[in-house]
Amino acid sequence: MAHATASLEYATGQDITGVPTVDTLVAQHLIKTISAARLMGADCVISGTRPQVAQTIVQLGLDLNVVSKATVAYAIVHALRRLGRTIQWCVDKAVAPLRTRVP
């Protein structure tokens, strides 16, 4: 958790794509990290939640009370919109066309 709170100066999101499963210990750590972030004045956005992880969080009865986005890209767009900013998507014609569009 110390690493997570130390990096809050630079980011207010947490990508949990690499978390294969959630047990009560992992869930408790996640809740503590979110609480620490809020105490430091940050808003939390979680991205990359696998279906199994989401189901376990619900089964454990946890209410994380955070914004959750499917990908880091969606989380960044959400955070920028909250700041009143947008992303200007630019595709170089020499590069293959961008096929993924973030709303």
Side-chain angles (χ1 to χ4, degrees):
M1 186 166 77
H3 174 69
T5 55
S7 65
L8 284 174
E9 292 180 34
Y10 307 105
T12 58
Q14 180 68 38
D15 182 75
I16 58 173
T17 303
V19 178
T21 60
V22 171
D23 58 10
T24 54
L25 184 63
V26 172
Q28 186 176 16
H29 179 75
L30 190 58
I31 290 170
K32 285 182 179 181
T33 302
I34 292 167
S35 296
R38 287 192 176 135
L39 286 173
M40 295 171 61
D43 289 333
C44 296
V45 178
I46 295 178
S47 64
T49 307
R50 297 173 186 226
Q52 301 87 346
V53 172
Q55 187 176 23
T56 302
I57 289 172
V58 170
Q59 287 175 349
L60 290 173
L62 302 177
D63 182 11
L64 300 179
N65 197 22
V66 296
V67 174
S68 180
K69 298 294 179 182
T71 66
V72 174
Y74 285 114
I76 291 171
V77 169
H78 170 80
L80 288 173
R81 282 184 179 161
R82 287 199 52 161
L83 295 172
R85 307 286 183 159
T86 59
I87 293 178
Q88 180 71 32
W89 296 100
C90 179
V91 178
D92 187 356
K93 291 183 180 182
V95 181
L98 183 63
R99 299 197 189 284
T100 304
R101 184 172 170 263
V102 179

